[in-house]
Amino acid sequence: MALQEVKVRALAPARLGSLLGPERAQRFETSAATARALLEGRAVVNVNSTATGGGVAELLQTLHAYARGAGVDARWVVIEGNPRFFEITKRIHNHLYGTPGDGGPLGAAERRDYEETLRRNVTGLLDLVGADDIVVLHDPQTAALAAAIRRAGAHVVWRCHVGIDSPNEHSERGWEFLRPYVDDVDGYVFSCERFAPAWVPREHLAVIAPSIDPFSAKNESIAPATVAPLLQYVGMLEGGGHEPVGTFTRRDGSRGHVTRRVDLVGTGPPPPPDAPVVLQASRWDALKDMPGVLIGFADQVVGRTDAHLVLAGPQTSGVTDDPEANKVLDECVALWRKLPKPAQRRIHLACVPMADPDEAAAIVNVLQRHATVVVQKSLAEGFGLTVVEAMWKSRPVIGTAVGGIVDQIVTGETGFLLDDAHDLERYAHSVCSLLGNPMECDRMGTNGRQRAEQKFLGDRHLEEWAHLFARLRPR
Ligand code: UDP
């Protein structure tokens, strides 16, 4: 079984300097030097289950680039799994989010198949890991690798990106399945403290929120005048020519051209360039509640505004560890087909081509920049990178008060937190009130940008990891 090593170009911490200011940049340099000294001769190997699509791949890309730039021997490997394995791990993932997922069992047969897949990844992984290295295992997909790595003398940190604010029977079942694999690791990282079950020893727990790379294709600044033409070129706005108009920075530093088109899965024509756009850009995952965003908009926003809704997600073949994507997309298409014509004209589903992840990121970048209001109406959320990405682009964000979204949006200042994800009236009311108040959108957008800059850049993120490594349980 082939593990895939993802090569990431190092980015010098100094690159962030212009945004951090001298004092913060100096602190970043100091903590990079401390991390270098602590990790001298040791590798930090991150292991997850997909190189593209979704927040974990996105944040690993950023973290690695800056860790390597800080002089740390950071590596990233992706395990291989089969559809049965990802069916089981998605079920665990959904359970940890407090939902039954596909309703299937998590019993002895699932344990056997889950362990078997990970066993087949062990040899390849151990070839890359030396005694005293640190291996960071991400999410349930990699948890059962912990014992073999610890036996080989390396430290194991389990980084869990998912969780629920108050445990329920489903989350308990998910933890029952997982606990034997991660009961005895050297450190734990969660996005929110309340996600960590009671048996996680607090002295080995760190709470670390992700960060964004302000210079990546996803977040780099774009001349405002090129945003609409690029969206026209990819087919996300009406009009425009056929010549490629947009370039972006690839992760290897070269420039790329956007050449592929977005697939509107029959929900075109796209919005006119001057129409306000409400955007939710997420994986096609039931917990992102794309159907709820669509229904609330159709029933309660279409008649009160002239805005269009864009629900954008990755092309469904693009995220290997997410077997539910087609089902959710099909559900959204079926809902759209039943809408009255006026609502159909104002609501669009969009699949972003994933063949080139940097190009995909560039398309999401312009979608977020063009949006008047960004929504993240998740039923549960680990962190929700889409929120900070939109804040970075000075967009007001309406998100559910779940998981890490709560730590990002300051209600009334950078957007609105919705206490109840199922309260479509409240959601529609928040959307309409922002659409009707451009000055408020500007104010909240400006605040959001400041908050993203203060709290969610790589310096804070790397410092927190370095701090955790320094206090890892000795082996
Ligand atoms: N995203 C993307 N293409 C899309 C929709 C979303 O690349 O069509 C990205 C989005 O910009 C963000 C990530 O996928 O970087 C989603 O991360 P988040 O933490 O919001 O949720 P997760 O997918 O981890 O549950």
Side-chain angles (χ1 to χ4, degrees):
M1 176 154 304
L3 284 172
Q4 180 200 349
E5 183 157 6
V6 185
K7 295 286 179 201
V8 177
R9 186 177 73 113
L11 294 175
R15 201 160 99 124
L16 287 178
S18 59
L19 295 167
L20 303 183
E23 202 176 307
R24 208 169 132 187
Q26 181 55 51
R27 214 179 77 197
F28 189 20
E29 285 296 344
T30 308
S31 49
T34 313
R36 266 195 304 279
L38 176 77
L39 299 170
E40 173 85 57
R42 302 161 75 188
V44 179
V45 183
N46 281 268
V47 188
N48 84 321
S49 58
T50 181
T52 57
V56 179
E58 180 76 22
L59 81 90
L60 277 176
Q61 185 68 42
T62 304
L63 191 60
H64 263 79
Y66 285 100
R68 292 183 70 80
V72 173
D73 181 9
R75 315 216 187 126
W76 173 9
V77 291
V78 174
I79 56 161
E80 194 170 70
N82 53 29
R84 164 74 174 155
F85 174 77
F86 288 126
E87 173 193 313
I88 296 165
T89 57
K90 185 78 199 225
R91 197 173 293 156
I92 306 169
H93 167 103
N94 282 325
H95 273 76
L96 296 186
Y97 271 131
T99 69
D102 65 0
L106 282 177
E110 285 67 34
R111 209 175 266 295
R112 187 196 58 223
D113 294 345
Y114 167 75
E115 289 178 6
E116 177 53 29
T117 295
L118 288 176
R119 216 178 350 260
R120 280 190 265 123
N121 281 277
V122 164
T123 317
L125 182 58
L126 291 186
D127 286 345
L128 296 171
V129 175
D132 214 31
D133 284 352
I134 299 171
V135 179
V136 184
L137 299 176
H138 292 261
D139 277 340
Q141 292 91 319
T142 62
L145 292 166
I149 300 165
R150 290 195 87 231
R151 272 197 301 275
H155 289 81
V156 174
V157 175
W158 188 54
R159 200 311 179 202
C160 182
H161 296 270
V162 299
I164 182 170
D165 296 317
S166 330
N168 67 14
E169 54 169 314
H170 304 298
S171 62
E172 292 301 326
R173 236 176 108 221
W175 284 121
E176 207 178 288
F177 188 94
L178 269 185
R179 181 173 174 177
Y181 307 115
V182 289
D183 209 9
D184 193 27
V185 298
D186 306 293
Y188 301 82
V189 177
F190 284 78
S191 302
C192 302
E193 179 156 9
R194 52 195 183 280
F195 287 178
W199 48 263
V200 168
R202 275 6 195 202
E203 67 276 22
H204 300 304
L205 166 68
V207 175
I208 304 181
S211 57
I212 56 164
D213 178 7
F215 305 107
S216 67
K218 176 73 59 70
N219 298 308
E220 67 185 340
S221 65
I222 298 178
T226 61
V227 170
L230 210 158
L231 286 171
Q232 286 175 317
Y233 175 77
V234 300
M236 271 316 314
L237 287 179
E238 253 174 12
H242 298 288
E243 286 304 307
V245 285
T247 64
F248 56 88
T249 310
R250 292 192 174 285
R251 50 194 78 176
D252 67 5
S254 65
R255 298 292 294 170
H257 274 90
V258 175
T259 55
R260 293 182 177 81
R261 314 288 156 118
V262 165
D263 178 5
L264 285 175
V265 291
T267 63
D274 54 350
V277 167
V278 176
L279 170 75
Q280 178 162 303
S282 287
R283 284 180 302 108
W284 302 102
D285 179 313
L287 293 173
K288 307 292 181 183
D289 198 24
M290 296 284 221
V293 178
L294 183 152
I295 293 166
F297 192 91
D299 290 350
Q300 301 187 54
V301 181
V302 166
R304 289 155 65 192
T305 73
D306 56 357
H308 286 239
L309 173 68
V310 173
L311 296 176
Q315 194 180 34
T316 50
S317 56
V319 188
T320 41
D321 67 344
D322 190 357
E324 285 176 359
N326 275 317
K327 193 165 148 263
V328 174
L329 176 61
D330 289 350
E331 184 187 347
C332 290
V333 173
L335 281 169
W336 184 90
R337 289 208 178 113
K338 286 199 212 112
L339 294 175
K341 276 272 170 294
Q344 282 188 342
R345 277 195 287 274
R346 302 262 296 281
I347 296 178
H348 317 273
L349 308 176
C351 287
V352 176
M354 293 292 289
D356 175 345
D358 294 322
E359 181 186 49
I363 296 172
V364 174
N365 190 351
V366 276
L367 278 168
Q368 289 170 329
R369 285 183 191 279
H370 182 72
T372 310
V373 175
V374 169
V375 170
Q376 193 56 58
K377 207 183 76 58
S378 306
L379 305 179
E381 192 59 76
F383 178 70
L385 272 172
T386 51
V387 173
V388 62
E389 287 166 2
M391 283 163 55
W392 175 251
K393 289 151 197 147
S394 304
R395 303 294 100 193
V397 187
I398 297 172
T400 328
V402 290
I405 297 180
V406 179
D407 302 322
Q408 298 183 72
I409 297 176
V410 181
T411 215
E413 294 303 320
T414 67
F416 292 114
L417 281 170
L418 306 170
D419 288 332
D420 176 2
H422 300 285
D423 184 350
L424 294 185
E425 205 169 311
R426 182 90 217 137
Y427 143 67
H429 175 79
S430 304
V431 169
C432 292
S433 83
L434 282 179
L435 287 171
N437 196 338
M439 275 171 61
E440 198 56 356
C441 287
D442 284 350
R443 182 183 73 82
M444 289 185 171
T446 306
N447 291 343
R449 164 80 181 207
Q450 268 171 16
R451 187 167 167 81
E453 200 168 298
Q454 276 158 10
K455 293 187 71 98
F456 300 112
L457 296 186
D459 59 327
R460 189 268 311 150
H461 198 185
L462 277 181
E463 274 169 34
E464 288 175 350
W465 273 102
H467 186 67
L468 171 74
F469 291 155
R471 65 189 177 95
L472 274 186
R473 175 153 62 187
R475 296 297 325 268

